[in-house]
Amino acid sequence: MNRNEVDREKLSPMMKQYMEIKDKHEDELLFYRLGDFYELFFEDGKIAARELELTLTGKNAGLSERVPMCGVPHHSVKPYIKTLVEKGYKVAIAEQLEDPKDVKGTVKRGVVDVVSKSTFVDEEYLDNATNCYIGGVISFEDCYLLSFADISTGVLNALYIEKDDSKLLNEILKLGIREIITIDNFPLKLISTLENNYGILVTESNEMLQNEYRDLINSVTDERIKMGIRHLFYYLVKKELKDVSHIDHVNILNNEETLYMDIHTIRNLELFETIRLKERNFSLIWLLDKCKTAMGRRKLKDMLLHPLLDINKINKRLDYVEKLINEFITREKLRDALEGVYDIERLCGKVICGSLNAKDLLQLKNSLKNIPEIKKLIDELSFDINIDENKEIYNLLEKSIYENPPVSIKEGYLIKEGYNKELDELKNIRSGGKDFIATLEESERNKTGIKTLKVGFNKVFGYYIEISKGQVKEVKDEWGWERRQTLSTSERYITPVLKEKEALVLNSEEKIIKLEYELFLEIKEKVKKEIFKLKTLADNLSQIDAYLSLATVAIENSFVRPKFNNDNTINIIGGKHPVVDNVTHLSYVANDCIMDKDTSTLLITGPNMAGKSTYMRQLAIIIIMAQIGSFVPCEDCNLKIIDKIYTRIGASDDLVSGESTFMVEMLEAKNAIEGATENSLILFDELGRGTSTYDGMSLAESILEYVNTKINCKTLFSTHYHELTSLSKKYPTIKNVHVCANFENDNLTFLHKVKDGPTDKSYGIQVASLAGLTDSIIKNASEHLKKYEQNKPRKMNEQISFTFPKKENELKKEIDAINILNITPMEAMNILYKLKEKSKDYEE
């Protein structure tokens, strides 16, 4: 049975209410609160039962047939919601808005929250090192506007992107945006790519927020950015019922102010995850992240994603890191103090988003407890970072919230004695009543002489006196006991005095729970008023934590402070790949990378596995580390500022989009050539290997020529096409270097040392032997190699001329007579077929 097949007039009042609420939430799975369960009906029930592996049952709804239904307990609903959200569903949560005890008839219900991939912000399901972004995209005639927010931290950004679908896709993937809100002119192909290739949820919405959050929106002068915020906020506020009042400003980003890296570069350099296993372990962030707080981890990741271009800003960061390195006692005290700081950013988000509990406020209080010590240490370091102690909030929480409160805010035991006079009086009544109950048992035993008499309590019958069956005959009428419940082994009674005290205790208990809940909400509102001060504190603490992390890593790995120049030179002495150096069990071979102002390209030759790719990556990583304000892995480092990094490293096909190795190579080469400036860095690893030898070599040669004559940026180009090394004679901007290997007594040893000059051998067969390929294959390959080496390949730039024997002149005339500009593709195929057939007449 489906929802649209139902005669609504026959439905029960409860189910009619469900249908009215569901009509407003067609796109979501509706979790409908009924007592201790959330229940899903009709199609929603079928979907949830399938996706959550639950039993699909039925429910009486006033119809002759039971409607499909499945349910989950309200106290453990979050894992079920998380599973559905991760599978791409949206969930609407309908709660009981009235206490059933106070209502006759149907309890009022309504949707209080809608969650999706980017707005399910319970901290136990969030990656504390990564922002959880939702983005809105508006397409203008000349550009895209991407507005993106993390409601768990209260961050809002806006970014203009060139009107290029691939560049928009690149930014979405770089930022890790989980959900995109588009308008109706958004390219369908791009929607399909986002959803099917990358699992990003896409929702179309043309609506704009009209009245709310005007102060925030009007703080921006750009009308198009205002439109972008109103578009994104309509979805968050109206469709998903989110309170975003903790967002106090808009960060207008500019890619011209930070080092640009596309998603391919980020992945190829393994900044955040490894290429092979897609894991954080053994990535660059894994090495650099020694942060003590979740806020610091997110800040460090953002720094790594957006290295700086301004030398003054870079050096200011380096000054902080250097001071922390030198002041080792203060540094360790600061790290210890940060150890006790919780995720204040996301705690602020919980204050606004409504999921706050007393344990969260306790975490906020314990975090603020450490701030005076942190402030003192920052002042000792003379850092230009303001630390507000937020003493009022700390004092409020210190005197109000119990040290060990329950998770629920509706069970009582939240508020300390002394905070509220009325609450204290109620607690005294409760305590006195409970003391009376405790002493009643002893006094009744003495009075009656029944030593096994017990005074107990349950939620159904309240307080009672329990007597075993064997002693019931001893109960006397003059005691005034009234039988309340008969059990198989005992009888339970009440007395007038017991009933009076029971009413007093239970009434006070109920009032205490209600009052504590009201007081908790008052405290929450007081914290909410200071939310922007707390967010500023969180941001400043995250910076300090990130600098401390960089200082700690620099000390542990003996990194050095980089220097910068305006001379178009790169001078790295004894450089290392920091991750490889950290995890390798062998002694890492350091290498120089020297490119003077007249050298644009290092053309790198040498055998596979000798370290060419690692050498290329280590240059890019040293540059990125330097420009985020980190010390770097080398003996000495003097760099020009790099504005963009493009890479083509690795040979894997793009299986998701169905593109071949060679096509991926050419697309990445195209992006680099079109995007690079004279201040960029390009890394091309064996470009052209995805096609035939002469095609690949010709393309590689042409690309090298273009980079050195048209762009003139710093480039590392590794190749097995040894013929390319002759280009250094034609272009003085190209310098040959090679990675050394020693071949002696049929044994190949990789030296991993980069030296000047070219090499003319790839040692491919020897590498295959090292890999354990069968001896017979290796021997056979060596024989083939000797044969091929007897045929000398053409030299670089040598023209290939084609001559036709006399008897083939007739065929040549036919070919020359073809006007390729005036024939259709079908005609061309027919001509080619005829020529192929005719050529058979000339075969010997």
Side-chain angles (χ1 to χ4, degrees):
M1 180 189 300
N2 293 328
R3 194 163 58 91
N4 60 4
E5 299 170 349
V6 171
D7 183 352
R8 297 196 179 195
E9 295 301 320
K10 297 180 180 179
L11 290 173
S12 64
M14 183 278 292
M15 190 55 71
K16 283 182 179 178
Q17 184 191 62
Y18 166 83
M19 298 290 269
E20 290 169 1
I21 295 173
K22 179 62 184 175
D23 288 343
K24 299 174 184 177
H25 295 276
E26 297 279 356
D27 297 333
E28 294 89 32
L29 298 178
L30 180 60
F31 277 58
Y32 188 70
R33 179 72 178 269
L34 287 171
D36 290 337
F37 283 82
Y38 288 102
E39 296 183 359
L40 299 95
F41 302 104
F42 299 106
E43 293 90 338
D44 286 4
K46 295 174 184 177
I47 292 170
R50 182 184 70 243
E51 299 290 1
L52 299 174
E53 299 182 1
L54 300 173
T55 300
L56 183 67
T57 62
K59 190 176 188 72
N60 292 323
L63 305 173
S64 58
E65 183 182 349
R66 287 161 64 89
V67 302
M69 182 271 287
C70 74
V72 297
H74 81 93
H75 63 273
S76 59
V77 69
K78 288 181 181 178
Y80 295 106
I81 294 176
K82 175 178 181 285
T83 299
L84 291 171
V85 165
E86 286 180 341
K87 292 186 174 186
Y89 296 98
K90 299 178 186 178
V91 172
I93 302 169
E95 292 286 1
Q96 296 174 168
L97 304 179
E98 300 172 313
D99 190 332
K101 294 185 294 186
D102 302 331
V103 179
K104 290 183 178 179
T106 306
V107 175
K108 184 179 179 181
R109 295 178 177 84
V111 171
V112 297
D113 197 12
V114 177
V115 295
S116 53
K117 275 192 173 183
S118 55
T119 58
F120 187 52
V121 293
D122 286 272
E123 73 276 10
E124 61 263 40
Y125 301 117
L126 290 172
D127 178 356
N128 63 17
T130 304
N131 282 98
C132 180
Y133 286 128
I134 180 172
V137 180
I138 296 181
S139 175
F140 295 106
E141 185 175 344
D142 60 331
C143 66
Y144 286 114
L145 173 65
L146 175 63
S147 308
F148 56 103
D150 178 354
I151 65 171
S152 73
T153 60
V155 173
L156 175 62
N157 304 293
L159 173 66
Y160 282 116
I161 300 169
E162 184 182 337
K163 194 65 175 288
D164 182 308
D165 290 358
S166 64
K167 291 182 178 176
L168 174 61
L169 176 62
N170 176 73
E171 287 297 332
I172 291 170
L173 296 178
K174 269 175 62 177
L175 294 164
I177 296 176
R178 302 182 184 186
E179 185 175 359
I180 290 291
I181 315 303
T182 69
I183 55 177
D184 57 11
N185 64 349
F186 199 69
L188 293 178
K189 183 179 179 182
L190 189 50
I191 291 176
S192 176
T193 300
L194 288 167
E195 290 184 331
N196 299 326
N197 292 6
Y198 299 105
I200 296 171
L201 187 63
V202 180
T203 301
E204 185 181 297
S205 170
N206 292 333
E207 301 289 343
M208 302 281 172
L209 197 68
Q210 297 303 323
N211 298 313
E212 294 94 330
Y213 302 102
R214 284 186 173 180
D215 289 345
L216 173 65
I217 294 169
N218 290 332
S219 68
V220 178
T221 57
D222 189 313
E223 291 299 324
R224 297 201 289 190
I225 292 179
K226 287 183 180 181
M227 185 186 301
I229 298 169
R230 287 169 53 217
H231 172 244
L232 178 59
F233 272 23
Y234 179 87
Y235 180 82
L236 288 172
V237 175
K238 298 298 185 182
K239 298 290 287 183
E240 297 222 337
L241 309 177
K242 296 297 185 287
D243 182 348
V244 292
S245 57
H246 57 317
I247 298 177
D248 59 337
H249 69 282
V250 185
N251 302 310
I252 301 175
L253 306 181
N254 184 351
N255 277 337
E256 301 300 318
E257 296 178 353
T258 58
L259 190 159
Y260 176 80
M261 297 175 284
D262 61 20
I263 188 64
H264 305 294
T265 296
I266 290 168
R267 288 174 177 171
N268 286 335
L269 296 178
E270 300 184 307
L271 298 188
F272 304 115
E273 64 179 21
T274 58
I275 293 173
R276 179 175 294 180
L277 298 178
K278 307 296 183 187
E279 292 180 351
R280 192 175 190 269
N281 281 358
F282 308 121
S283 65
L284 182 59
I285 193 72
W286 165 81
L287 178 72
L288 297 181
D289 186 358
K290 305 292 183 183
C291 293
K292 293 295 184 179
T293 70
M295 303 174 292
R297 299 181 75 192
R298 291 193 295 274
K299 177 65 73 174
L300 183 61
K301 182 175 182 179
D302 186 68
M303 289 165 60
L304 196 54
L305 196 60
H306 302 102
L308 301 175
L309 299 183
D310 188 313
I311 291 180
N312 293 327
K313 291 180 179 179
I314 296 170
N315 277 322
K316 187 174 183 180
R317 285 185 182 176
L318 288 167
D319 289 342
Y320 286 145
V321 174
E322 186 169 34
K323 190 70 176 286
L324 288 167
I325 291 171
N326 294 334
E327 300 289 340
F328 66 94
I329 295 176
T330 305
R331 180 187 70 244
E332 291 308 311
K333 286 181 179 179
L334 198 50
R335 281 170 59 82
D336 290 342
L338 281 171
E339 189 104 49
V341 175
Y342 291 86
D343 195 342
I344 298 176
E345 262 187 334
R346 283 188 168 153
L347 288 172
C348 288
K350 294 187 78 173
V351 169
I352 300 299
C353 294
S355 59
L356 190 79
N357 62 33
K359 287 185 179 292
D360 296 322
L361 289 182
L362 203 60
Q363 287 186 355
L364 179 58
K365 185 198 80 172
N366 291 333
S367 298
L368 295 177
K369 185 178 181 179
N370 289 357
I371 301 306
E373 174 68 8
I374 293 172
K375 177 177 174 59
K376 180 174 76 72
L377 295 169
I378 291 301
D379 290 342
E380 287 178 10
L381 292 165
S382 301
F383 282 3
D384 184 22
I385 300 175
N386 181 50
I387 302 296
D388 188 334
E389 295 182 31
N390 289 272
K391 289 182 179 178
E392 299 83 1
I393 297 296
Y394 174 77
N395 291 333
L396 170 66
L397 299 178
E398 170 63 19
K399 68 182 182 181
S400 63
I401 303 297
Y402 267 134
E403 295 302 326
N404 189 28
V407 174
S408 171
I409 57 176
K410 294 185 177 181
E411 295 178 5
Y413 300 95
L414 302 174
I415 308 299
K416 286 181 176 179
E417 284 81 4
Y419 180 73
N420 180 271
K421 184 177 179 180
E422 181 185 354
L423 180 62
D424 289 346
E425 290 174 354
L426 288 169
K427 286 182 177 179
N428 286 333
I429 293 172
R430 180 181 65 182
S431 177
K434 288 186 175 181
D435 289 343
F436 170 81
I437 298 299
T439 58
L440 179 65
E441 183 174 275
E442 186 63 28
S443 66
E444 288 294 322
R445 284 179 179 177
N446 294 333
K447 170 185 169 183
T448 63
I450 302 173
K451 300 304 181 183
T452 58
L453 178 150
K454 293 188 297 185
V455 177
F457 171 83
N458 65 40
K459 291 183 178 180
V460 177
F461 295 104
Y463 287 98
Y464 55 81
I465 293 174
E466 183 174 291
I467 303 294
S468 66
K469 287 283 190 182
Q471 294 179 310
V472 169
K473 61 181 180 297
E474 298 180 29
V475 176
K476 299 176 181 178
D477 292 340
E478 61 263 30
W479 295 348
W481 290 10
E482 178 185 338
R483 182 179 276 107
R484 167 161 284 191
Q485 186 183 14
T486 299
L487 303 177
S488 60
T489 59
S490 61
E491 294 285 347
R492 289 175 176 175
Y493 302 85
I494 61 170
T495 70
V497 175
L498 191 61
K499 194 67 180 172
E500 179 185 341
K501 289 294 183 180
E502 174 187 278
L504 184 65
V505 172
L506 293 181
N507 192 38
S508 63
E509 185 78 39
E510 188 174 317
K511 286 182 178 179
I512 286 169
I513 290 173
K514 182 179 180 182
L515 182 55
E516 288 206 9
Y517 177 68
E518 292 171 355
L519 291 171
F520 179 84
L521 295 181
E522 287 180 10
I523 294 165
K524 176 182 174 181
E525 285 303 310
K526 290 178 181 178
V527 175
K528 188 174 179 179
K529 290 178 182 177
E530 305 297 327
I531 208 73
F532 296 145
K533 289 173 61 178
L534 290 170
K535 281 186 62 183
T536 300
L537 171 65
D539 185 62
N540 290 336
L541 291 176
S542 71
Q543 292 180 51
I544 294 165
D545 198 12
Y547 300 148
L548 273 167
S549 179
L550 295 177
T552 302
V553 173
I555 293 166
E556 291 177 352
N557 296 276
S558 302
F559 291 169
V560 301
R561 177 168 178 158
K563 298 181 285 292
F564 298 94
N565 66 72
N566 296 310
D567 302 329
N568 194 36
T569 64
I570 290 176
N571 195 318
I572 297 172
I573 306 299
K576 297 180 179 182
H577 188 299
V579 179
V580 177
D581 183 37
N582 189 271
V583 301
T584 185
H585 298 296
L586 303 174
S587 177
Y588 189 94
V589 178
N591 277 301
D592 302 343
C593 184
I594 299 172
M595 303 177 77
D596 61 29
K597 61 185 177 66
D598 298 321
T599 301
S600 295
T601 299
L602 293 185
L603 187 58
I604 310 166
T605 49
N608 284 318
M609 296 175 61
K612 298 191 298 297
S613 298
T614 301
Y615 178 71
M616 298 170 74
R617 284 190 175 100
Q618 82 181 34
L619 171 61
I621 287 173
I622 287 172
I623 289 169
I624 292 166
M625 288 175 63
Q627 289 185 214
I628 70 169
S630 170
F631 282 36
V632 293
C634 58
E635 297 171 16
D636 189 63
C637 178
N638 196 318
L639 301 169
K640 66 173 290 182
I641 292 293
I642 298 296
D643 64 355
K644 301 176 183 180
I645 298 178
Y646 293 95
T647 67
R648 172 54 205 165
I649 300 174
S652 59
D653 292 6
D654 187 345
L655 297 177
V656 174
S657 60
E659 291 173 345
S660 68
T661 299
F662 184 65
M663 177 58 78
V664 172
E665 281 191 57
M666 292 302 103
L667 287 172
E668 293 184 14
K670 167 182 170 290
N671 291 338
I673 290 167
E674 291 182 353
T677 72
E678 63 180 355
N679 293 316
S680 301
L681 173 68
I682 294 177
L683 306 180
F684 281 152
D685 187 16
E686 299 184 33
L687 192 69
R689 62 182 168 184
T691 186
S692 67
T693 301
Y694 286 129
D695 279 352
M697 188 159 53
S698 300
L699 282 165
E701 179 180 0
S702 181
I703 289 170
L704 270 170
E705 289 176 334
Y706 187 92
V707 168
N708 278 271
T709 58
K710 304 295 185 183
I711 304 175
N712 205 33
C713 66
K714 299 299 184 186
T715 303
L716 268 58
F717 196 112
S718 73
T719 186
H720 283 297
Y721 300 137
H722 300 124
E723 295 84 351
L724 294 177
T725 58
S726 64
L727 286 172
S728 62
K729 298 175 182 177
K730 184 177 181 180
Y731 301 103
T733 54
I734 297 177
K735 177 183 177 182
N736 284 306
V737 296
H738 68 280
V739 185
C740 298
N742 184 34
F743 186 62
E744 189 175 352
N745 299 324
D746 292 330
N747 291 317
L748 180 64
T749 304
F750 298 120
L751 303 179
H752 303 293
K753 194 67 179 175
V754 177
K755 294 186 176 180
D756 289 346
T759 184
D760 59 355
K761 284 195 174 185
S762 292
Y763 298 105
I765 292 175
Q766 288 75 19
V767 172
S769 178
L770 285 176
L773 210 59
T774 305
D775 289 344
S776 61
I777 293 177
I778 298 299
K779 183 178 180 181
N780 202 20
S782 300
E783 295 299 321
H784 289 315
L785 179 62
K786 291 177 184 178
K787 180 178 65 177
Y788 291 138
E789 285 179 338
Q790 292 174 359
N791 300 317
K792 294 181 180 179
R794 72 181 180 97
K795 297 178 181 179
M796 286 301 302
N797 305 315
E798 179 184 327
Q799 297 297 317
I800 300 176
S801 60
F802 296 93
T803 58
F804 289 85
K806 289 183 180 180
K807 69 175 184 176
E808 295 178 6
N809 281 344
E810 184 180 343
L811 186 61
K812 181 178 182 300
K813 288 178 182 179
E814 287 190 38
I815 294 173
D816 292 340
I818 298 171
N819 187 344
I820 60 173
L821 298 178
N822 291 323
I823 59 175
T824 67
M826 185 57 70
E827 289 172 339
M829 290 182 68
N830 289 331
I831 292 171
L832 182 59
Y833 176 77
K834 291 177 182 178
L835 290 172
K836 185 177 179 182
E837 291 298 308
K838 187 171 287 189
S839 69
K840 294 178 181 177
D841 298 336
Y842 298 94
E843 292 178 357
E844 296 183 357

